[in-house]
Amino acid sequence: MNTEILGIIVMFGFTLLLAIPLGKYISKVYVGDKTILDFIFNPLERFIFKVSGINAKHEMTWKEHIAALLTINLLWFLMSMAILMHMEYLPLNPDGNPNMSADLAFNTSISFLVNCNLQHYSGETGISYLGQVWLMFLQFVTAGIGIASATVIFKAFREKTTTQLGNFYNYFLKSCTRILLPISLLIAAVLLLEGTPMTFEGKDKIVSQEGTEVEVSRGPVAAFVPIKHVGTNGGGFFGANSAHPLENPSYLTNMTEMFAQFIIPMAMIFAFGFFIRKKKFAWMMFSVMTIGFLLLSVPTILMEMNGNPAITQMGIDNSLGAMEGKEIRFGAAASGFWSIVTTVISTGSINSMHDSAMPLSGLTQMIAMMTNAFYGGVGAGVLNFFVFIILAVFISGLMVGRTPEFMGKKIEAREMKIAMIIALTHPLLILVSTALATSFPQYGASTLNNPSFHGFSEILYEYTSSAANNGSGFEGLGDNTAWWNITTGFVLLLGRFLPIIGPIAIAGLLAQKKFIPEGEGTLRTDTSTFGLMVFAVIAIIAALAFFPALALGPIAEYFSMK
Amino acid sequence: MKKHILPAFKLTLFSILLLAIIYPFVVWSMARLAPNNGKGKVLTYNGVKHYTNIGQSFTDDKYFWSRPSAVDYNAAGSGGSNKGPSNDEYLATVHTRIDNFLIHNPGVKKSDIPVDLITASGSGLDPNFSIQAAKVQVERIAKIRNLEANKLFHLIEQNIEKPLWGIFGPEKINVLKLNIELDKMSQ
């Protein structure tokens, strides 16, 4: 078999194989059962809680959870603005990179705060090492927030009737110490051996073999890249992200980074099943997500491997595939595969330039972010999917003429309203802001790198990526302008916090309700029929809402090339 | 919200200590065991230092040309062209690259030019090209350097980097290493 295809299959299979035991481990961590790392982390966490004045045993209601979450995020935002706007006066800046402007710092802070990492600066020239280390810190903690939020939902369905949903700080810290940190250290070891740099020295000057003088950017890359993937953040150390040969030096590191971003989103599904003692339900979720993922990734891989038809027509040897914007050491297949992995799970790191991908690959990448529920980001994926489940339960309930119930709780008007608002916010944010940017050509069209339909796709992609908290881009877009920094900043904020607050509120409301034991007429939510229902809801709400916009961008471009 | 401010602030400080100071320090210590102490893999030829993983610009006829680059192989920055597949201006650039290649390599059939030699990479620093990209340049280099073509083909064979563990991913050649070997051979 083709070695490129084999590489992808093994990457996927290996991740799945490890996701189940990791899911079990994650579930144990939050239940509070014994795990192998207790001997280090029990005393460490006790110490941190003690000096921070936090009682980790105090159980919170859903409203307290949201208050704690928003407070700590606001704090990080202020600290981030202060650091990014004063890098010139702070240490660890060997290359003498400048301060960020207020609007760029606003965009960067929010974008790292919401686990998106849309980057309107270039790592080599726009930020100091201190700034990079700060962003690395945000990559840890915002992933921790995502996992903690998902755990609140887990907790709401574990107990029969409760208002006590665990301690937010406890979930948050455990996510960082027991899940993100150990995995990141393992990944870092592989990267270091393959040649990813870890140094605080600045740029190096070298003379090339042909005699030209060039500079080589370096930095503490091997600490930054693991958490960028493990936390599904995706913000690159260098401008070219994981296409850069120091950030992703070999096929082995490519497989490793792929695994790193894929493993926790997958494991969280199984963790959900273990935590609420309903493994079959987790398999239903996993199947729906996997089918969605395969429907997007397989055609993308094929299109990238087939190459650009406009270049085939020129009569050259196009057998390597669409190599514009791609690296030889990964090849077209692994690049196409990565582009879907990174968009379904909201990482947003790239190992090839999505702007140069085939028109319909651009389409699948955007659909991956528009649905935003096939695996999804750490924690956030489960939250998004949860909203679709509530909708599916309600619609199925109406179809069979019964009161909709989920996990023994009645779903009523209040929960439905929240779920509908969350589900509709996503298309609303993307389509309205795209329409705005398109109608002001002096802000939108003037920043494009490509004409015609593809140019429109650049705008659509940017807002889709922001609302989905993904962070990848059609990077040709000249996006470091006040317009882009500020508009995407607000889309990012709403795209992150509404889909966290909404599901937590629904789960909190449901958890308080009386538990109704399963009976003859209960709609079972762990069957393939229900899975199909969820899939249909996702397809209708998420995908069809965007069809007109997609028709103007990638679909029109596809037909224009025929 | 008020009662959360102080605990959140203290928790943040200790998280910074753990995740932004201790964690990078541990990785930095691990880097002492890595190639070149974690400063990037290097190779030295004639006393000049090169980074193995950072591609270099080769446009001289006596060398194997590297792939086109959107940043001219200056690793102070990085990035691709970000040109869309249907962009006319971009397709014209690709055409020019094909014509230019044919002018410098008379006798090469157009259908033998591999796509990587006429498209820019994602990072602009791609250290590799395909096997075909090396083979298609042999005739030109053999002529300029007065070498037998067979010797060059042999050199290429020696420099092929097999897929990972023989089974995963594409085959490739490191352009810098190949060109340094070429210089050694001509001495």
Side-chain angles (χ1 to χ4, degrees):
Chain A
M1 192 192 276
N2 181 320
T3 53
E4 291 195 45
I5 303 279
L6 197 61
I8 300 170
I9 293 173
V10 168
M11 264 187 264
F12 188 68
F14 185 69
T15 312
L16 176 59
L17 218 60
L18 286 185
I20 298 170
L22 182 65
K24 192 156 201 173
Y25 169 78
I26 293 178
S27 162
K28 276 186 181 172
V29 165
Y30 295 113
V31 172
D33 287 349
K34 274 206 181 89
T35 59
I36 45 165
L37 296 173
D38 282 351
F39 71 100
I40 320 174
F41 292 122
N42 276 347
L44 178 76
E45 287 158 2
R46 260 203 304 273
F47 169 77
I48 294 183
F49 284 133
K50 199 170 167 210
V51 289
S52 309
I54 291 168
N55 174 9
K57 295 216 166 63
H58 165 72
E59 301 239 351
M60 297 179 172
T61 63
W62 66 270
K63 285 181 184 162
E64 277 180 276
H65 272 286
I66 290 175
L69 180 148
L70 292 178
T71 312
I72 203 163
N73 271 285
L74 182 67
L75 203 67
W76 293 335
F77 172 72
L78 296 175
M79 292 170 85
S80 188
M81 286 298 280
I83 292 174
L84 295 179
M85 290 178 69
H86 299 93
M87 291 184 297
E88 280 174 28
Y89 320 116
L90 294 168
L92 291 182
N93 191 4
D95 295 331
N97 287 338
N99 296 331
M100 284 192 185
S101 64
D103 57 311
L104 182 58
F106 169 78
N107 186 280
T108 308
S109 299
I110 287 186
S111 142
F112 277 77
L113 202 62
V114 304
N115 198 263
C116 169
N117 308 7
L118 198 66
Q119 294 169 294
H120 291 177
Y121 63 92
S122 247
E124 292 94 336
T125 50
I127 189 161
S128 70
Y129 290 164
L130 185 84
Q132 296 272 29
V133 169
W134 167 255
L135 295 183
M136 185 190 78
F137 168 73
L138 285 183
Q139 295 191 327
F140 268 108
V141 293
T142 58
I145 294 281
I147 301 179
S149 309
T151 310
V152 176
I153 299 208
F154 292 6
K155 176 82 174 164
F157 293 108
R158 185 180 163 90
E159 315 296 338
K160 286 206 164 132
T161 301
T162 182
T163 53
Q164 308 292 304
L165 300 176
N167 184 284
F168 183 76
Y169 299 115
N170 185 33
Y171 291 160
F172 160 72
L173 188 65
K174 279 186 170 172
S175 311
C176 294
T177 53
R178 293 173 185 237
I179 299 169
L180 301 169
L181 191 60
I183 302 180
S184 296
L185 278 170
L186 290 177
I187 305 292
V190 179
L191 294 182
L192 283 171
L193 288 176
E194 290 290 297
T196 300
M198 180 67 201
T199 171
F200 287 91
E201 291 173 23
K203 288 191 172 74
D204 196 6
K205 270 202 176 67
I206 59 162
V207 178
S208 79
Q209 184 70 1
E210 274 197 346
T212 31
E213 204 172 89
V214 293
E215 289 185 311
V216 178
S217 289
R218 299 176 295 176
V221 190
F224 190 96
V225 177
I227 186 58
K228 147 185 149 185
H229 286 115
V230 174
T232 64
N233 295 280
F237 190 92
F238 299 111
N241 208 303
S242 276
H244 195 289
L246 293 182
E247 209 160 323
N248 195 359
S250 66
Y251 199 79
L252 180 62
T253 60
N254 193 57
M255 287 177 104
T256 310
E257 291 178 21
M258 170 70 56
F259 167 78
Q261 57 181 311
F262 222 171
I263 183 74
I264 294 183
M266 240 191 226
M268 283 301 281
I269 305 166
F270 296 111
F272 194 12
F274 287 120
F275 197 95
I276 60 171
R277 308 181 193 97
K278 290 192 170 65
K279 277 183 255 177
K280 208 174 159 210
F281 180 74
W283 279 104
M284 184 280 294
M285 280 175 75
F286 178 78
S287 313
V288 173
M289 292 177 169
T290 304
I291 290 170
F293 171 73
L294 291 177
L295 283 176
L296 294 169
S297 57
V298 172
T300 310
I301 294 166
L302 294 178
M303 286 183 287
E304 295 306 308
M305 288 180 79
N306 279 339
N308 185 345
I311 291 183
T312 310
Q313 277 166 21
M314 295 179 192
I316 57 125
D317 172 7
N318 207 10
S319 57
L320 289 173
M323 288 313 288
E324 183 69 38
K326 291 194 181 57
E327 305 281 304
I328 290 289
R329 63 190 179 284
F330 312 138
S335 302
F337 180 68
W338 177 302
S339 80
I340 294 302
V341 172
T342 194
T343 42
V344 287
I345 63 176
S346 103
T347 313
S349 67
I350 50 165
N351 75 348
S352 70
M353 293 298 153
H354 292 187
D355 215 346
S356 301
M358 290 304 99
L360 293 188
S361 303
L363 174 91
T364 50
Q365 289 156 8
M366 282 193 257
I367 291 180
M369 295 184 288
M370 288 161 174
T371 50
N372 209 16
F374 301 140
Y375 306 124
V378 288
V382 174
L383 297 175
N384 287 327
F385 198 81
F386 176 68
V387 171
F388 289 121
I389 288 178
I390 297 291
L391 293 180
V393 166
F394 185 76
I395 295 172
S396 321
L398 289 183
M399 284 164 76
V400 293
R402 293 187 172 276
T403 329
E405 283 165 25
F406 176 61
M407 303 271 167
K409 302 296 171 82
K410 267 189 195 156
I411 294 179
E412 289 165 304
R414 205 163 157 209
E415 293 84 47
M416 272 314 293
K417 278 183 201 157
I418 303 174
M420 268 331 286
I421 291 172
I422 302 304
L424 292 178
T425 305
H426 192 55
L428 183 82
L429 284 175
I430 296 172
L431 296 174
V432 169
S433 47
T434 304
L436 276 177
T438 316
S439 46
F440 295 109
Q442 68 271 37
Y443 303 124
S446 66
T447 55
L448 302 180
N449 186 46
N450 286 288
S452 182
F453 307 121
H454 196 86
F456 176 74
S457 298
E458 287 182 339
I459 298 180
L460 182 62
Y461 194 106
E462 184 76 2
Y463 285 118
T464 308
S465 170
S466 305
N469 285 178
N470 182 276
S472 63
F474 271 14
E475 285 302 333
L477 189 72
D479 47 19
N480 184 15
T481 63
W483 168 272
W484 285 112
N485 284 336
I486 294 166
T487 56
T488 54
F490 284 109
V491 173
L492 286 166
L493 270 183
L494 296 171
R496 165 78 167 180
F497 289 107
L498 293 182
I500 285 185
I501 294 171
I504 289 184
I506 296 176
L509 291 170
L510 288 182
Q512 296 164 6
K513 293 191 184 183
K514 207 172 95 214
F515 181 80
I516 312 157
E518 240 173 61
E520 277 287 299
T522 312
L523 174 79
R524 294 180 62 95
T525 51
D526 54 4
T527 59
S528 49
T529 319
F530 183 73
L532 202 68
M533 199 61 205
V534 179
F535 192 87
V537 169
I538 296 177
I540 291 166
I541 294 195
L544 287 186
F546 296 103
F547 183 76
L550 291 170
L552 287 177
I555 298 178
E557 186 186 10
Y558 172 76
F559 284 110
S560 75
M561 284 178 78
K562 287 280 143 178
Chain B
M1 215 173 211
K2 221 172 177 181
K3 68 170 184 174
H4 289 292
I5 294 178
L6 203 61
F9 184 68
K10 288 186 197 160
L11 183 61
T12 302
L13 288 188
F14 285 97
S15 308
I16 289 179
L17 180 68
L18 179 67
L19 303 170
I21 297 173
I22 295 176
Y23 162 73
F25 179 75
V26 170
V27 179
W28 185 82
S29 310
M30 280 162 36
R32 303 303 97 194
L33 304 170
N36 193 26
N37 292 333
K39 292 177 191 173
K41 279 185 185 168
V42 291
L43 72 113
T44 316
Y45 174 63
N46 279 347
V48 182
K49 180 172 87 172
H50 302 281
Y51 283 87
T52 323
N53 288 328
I54 299 285
Q56 296 187 357
S57 167
F58 287 101
T59 50
D60 200 318
D61 277 351
K62 66 176 184 186
Y63 284 118
F64 288 99
W65 291 358
S66 43
R67 300 182 62 189
S69 159
V71 296
D72 289 328
Y73 285 99
N74 187 353
S78 60
S81 72
N82 285 312
K83 295 293 182 197
S86 65
N87 187 333
D88 288 332
E89 186 199 332
Y90 159 70
L91 292 172
T93 312
V94 174
H95 243 298
T96 320
R97 286 179 189 147
I98 297 175
D99 292 342
N100 183 44
F101 190 87
L102 290 173
I103 291 169
H104 287 262
N105 297 271
V108 166
K109 274 192 298 198
K110 201 179 188 182
S111 57
D112 286 336
I113 306 176
V115 65
D116 53 331
L117 276 184
I118 51 164
T119 50
S121 62
S123 61
L125 307 171
D126 196 341
N128 303 113
F129 59 22
S130 62
I131 313 324
Q132 175 63 10
K135 286 185 175 165
V136 75
Q137 303 188 51
V138 161
E139 202 177 313
R140 182 192 78 227
I141 294 169
K143 208 166 169 191
I144 292 182
R145 295 206 178 221
N146 258 331
L147 291 167
E148 275 174 51
N150 271 341
K151 271 187 158 177
L152 286 177
F153 281 119
H154 185 65
L155 183 73
I156 292 172
E157 285 302 322
Q158 282 177 329
N159 275 278
I160 292 178
E161 296 174 10
K162 289 282 171 209
L164 177 65
W165 303 322
I167 40 179
F168 303 134
E171 286 186 322
K172 60 192 188 300
I173 291 176
N174 185 305
V175 187
L176 176 67
K177 282 186 189 165
L178 180 68
N179 276 324
I180 287 180
E181 291 301 318
L182 179 66
D183 271 352
K184 281 185 191 164
M185 198 177 180
S186 314
Q187 271 171 4

